[in-house]
Amino acid sequence: MIEKIVRRELLDLTRPKHGADVWKYDVALVDFSCNLNPLGPPKEIINIIQRNIDSIVRYPDDTCTNLKLALSDYHDLPREQLIVGCGSTELIKAFAETFVKQNDHIIIPFPTYGEYAFYCQFMGGVINKISLMEDEEFSLNVESLFDSIDKSTKAIFLCNPNNPTSRFESKSKILEVVEECEARKVLVFVDEAFVDFLREGRNGSCVPEVESHDNLFVSRSFTKIFSIPGIRVGYGVGGKELVKYMDKARLSWNVGVLNQFIATELVRNCNSYLERTVEFIELEKKYLYTQVSRINGYKPFKPDANFMLIKIKNLELNSTDFKKIMLDQGFLIRDCSSFGEEFSNYIRIAVKNRDLNNNLLKAFKIISEEVVQQ
């Protein structure tokens, strides 16, 4: 009976798979599948919670006023151009619910974060995938993207830096896409969840451009940069009209009281933490890339963000079997086969501290030596 009355878009829709599923294993694992800040959450979070614990007896501010004020000051943008969500993924959903209609075409460079396609398909959108090519270092091919736009195209999703490839595109390239799409009346959603991990992230962000491009929406996340996936807060910036309608689509009271207090204080006091993060990631991602490159069987792709894509085809193992072997070694890595069969020989690892990175490298070497001996 239910199949006959459910929305038809849901019948063949499968939820995206993600990393960070360490919770389902009975043994202690070092989680390299989740791209969190290796510095860990800022220590002041405990004090913020303790000071505001009594606030949980009341409903949260549905408009996130204080958080929007802090973000407005941080980005030098009017509050009317800001929207806050239960993680940036809620904003992906709100964007799709607001703008994507039945049979609208949505262009998504691939591989990338699976939630874009999922929520657009949920609304009846048709996904046009543009392949990011290995021989081009998974960079965005603007001409190929433009050739894919037609009269049915409603929006383009860009993840920058992209997950799982860790490729960061220049602001000039992203704006080239935005401006071409503006002329063709196509929306552009830019996900900058990892941009704060980059030295050039602040200047390379498209957030300042929303005031001059009505078709642009940029999402940001607290999850990865502050290492707080259990505290669901994300935000987005866009033109006032765009944000006004998205705000109607979001869930009421979508960000909890403590979440708002935490996020507000982090925004107001984040500069030194962000600087330490960038310095740490710059050093460790170079080290990890160099060391993995020296181990037989692995082909890492130079990371821009705090994670790295690795091809393991020469190990004669697919990524699912490799994940199982790594579990036996005490590590959880990201099996990239969920991005499609063509990525069944790729894995993704996060950048962590030197000791943990070295432990992972030892496990990689053990597997490589066993394969070579065979």
Side-chain angles (χ1 to χ4, degrees):
M1 171 188 170
I2 298 300
E3 285 189 2
K4 294 181 180 179
I5 61 174
V6 73
R7 285 184 54 180
R8 65 184 182 86
E9 291 86 0
L10 291 175
L11 292 175
D12 298 317
L13 197 58
T14 303
R15 293 200 67 88
K17 293 182 180 179
H18 301 292
D21 54 350
V22 67
W23 47 268
K24 71 181 184 182
Y25 299 98
D26 294 330
V27 295
L29 297 168
V30 182
D31 188 3
F32 274 83
S33 73
C34 190
N35 307 324
L36 300 178
N37 191 330
L39 296 184
K43 293 181 174 56
E44 55 266 33
I45 287 179
I46 295 175
N47 293 329
I48 297 170
I49 294 173
Q50 289 174 338
R51 289 198 310 269
N52 297 287
I53 192 66
D54 291 341
S55 66
I56 63 173
V57 301
R58 64 174 186 264
Y59 278 89
D61 172 8
D62 185 49
T63 62
C64 295
T65 303
N66 289 330
L67 178 52
K68 284 183 180 178
L69 282 171
L71 290 168
S72 175
D73 290 341
Y74 183 75
H75 288 294
D76 193 24
L77 287 172
R79 279 182 293 166
E80 294 77 15
Q81 292 188 263
L82 289 157
I83 181 172
V84 181
C86 179
S88 58
T89 300
E90 188 201 1
L91 302 179
I92 298 170
K93 185 174 188 288
F95 184 92
E97 290 175 330
T98 304
F99 299 112
V100 179
K101 300 174 185 175
Q102 190 76 36
N103 296 321
D104 280 345
H105 285 217
I106 310 298
I107 297 175
I108 303 178
F110 189 85
T112 196
Y113 189 48
E115 301 288 338
Y116 313 139
F118 177 80
Y119 284 116
C120 289
Q121 288 175 309
F122 176 82
M123 296 306 298
V126 177
I127 306 303
N128 294 340
K129 293 181 179 179
I130 305 297
S131 295
L132 300 172
M133 306 305 294
E134 180 182 329
D135 59 4
E136 296 176 354
E137 296 294 315
F138 299 106
S139 63
L140 179 65
N141 187 316
V142 174
E143 295 305 319
S144 176
L145 188 150
F146 289 163
D147 289 342
S148 300
I149 298 175
D150 58 28
K151 293 181 179 179
S152 299
T153 305
K154 174 59 69 70
I156 293 174
F157 282 80
L158 301 175
C159 186
N160 197 39
N162 187 42
N163 175 20
T165 64
S166 197
R167 177 71 187 230
F168 181 66
E169 302 291 357
S170 67
K171 184 174 181 176
S172 60
K173 181 184 278 192
I174 301 297
L175 286 180
E176 182 181 355
V177 174
V178 171
E179 289 166 1
E180 179 69 20
C181 287
E182 193 169 24
R184 301 200 200 186
K185 302 187 185 320
V186 174
L187 299 173
V188 180
F189 186 112
V190 180
D191 183 346
E192 294 186 346
F194 297 99
V195 76
D196 285 317
F197 288 100
L198 281 67
R199 175 70 64 191
E200 64 271 33
R202 183 78 175 181
N203 292 330
S205 170
C206 285
V207 167
E209 308 304 321
V210 297
E211 288 192 287
S212 54
H213 298 91
D214 292 338
N215 67 322
L216 173 62
F217 182 80
V218 182
S219 71
R220 304 289 289 269
S221 173
F222 286 81
T223 298
K224 304 298 193 292
I225 190 63
F226 292 112
S227 195
I228 50 173
I231 299 172
R232 308 302 301 152
V233 188
Y235 66 97
V237 297
K240 292 179 182 178
E241 286 293 297
L242 188 153
V243 167
K244 179 180 74 173
Y245 290 110
M246 279 185 63
D247 194 56
K248 293 182 179 183
R250 68 169 174 82
L251 183 70
S252 296
W253 307 298
N254 58 336
V255 182
V257 174
L258 291 178
N259 304 51
Q260 291 188 39
F261 278 117
I262 291 168
T264 300
E265 293 205 32
L266 289 179
V267 171
R268 288 174 175 164
N269 301 284
C270 67
N271 287 332
S272 62
Y273 177 86
L274 294 181
E275 181 58 33
R276 284 191 293 117
T277 296
V278 168
E279 290 179 359
F280 190 96
I281 293 299
E282 286 291 312
L283 181 66
E284 288 303 317
K285 71 182 181 184
K286 292 176 183 176
Y287 174 79
L288 197 56
Y289 172 75
T290 300
Q291 297 303 315
V292 173
S293 300
R294 294 172 177 171
I295 307 174
N296 289 334
Y298 300 87
K299 180 184 177 181
F301 297 90
K302 194 171 183 180
D304 291 325
N306 60 314
F307 53 92
M308 183 166 63
L309 184 70
I310 304 173
K311 190 173 185 179
I312 59 168
K313 185 176 182 179
N314 290 339
L315 290 175
E316 298 184 358
L317 290 168
N318 63 40
S319 54
T320 301
D321 289 339
F322 184 87
K323 177 181 177 179
K324 291 177 182 177
I325 295 172
M326 289 300 293
L327 287 171
D328 292 337
Q329 297 280 343
F331 299 94
L332 179 62
I333 55 90
R334 179 68 160 91
D335 171 6
C336 289
S337 63
S338 61
F339 292 99
E341 179 62 28
E342 62 269 43
F343 289 93
S344 61
N345 294 118
Y346 294 79
I347 63 169
R348 190 196 69 201
I349 60 172
V351 175
K352 293 189 176 294
N353 64 45
R354 184 62 58 92
D355 288 342
L356 292 178
N357 291 337
N358 279 334
N359 289 340
L360 181 79
L361 291 167
K362 289 177 184 177
F364 278 8
K365 290 177 183 177
I366 290 172
I367 296 172
S368 174
E369 290 169 358
E370 289 178 349
V371 170
V372 170
Q373 288 174 359
Q374 291 175 358

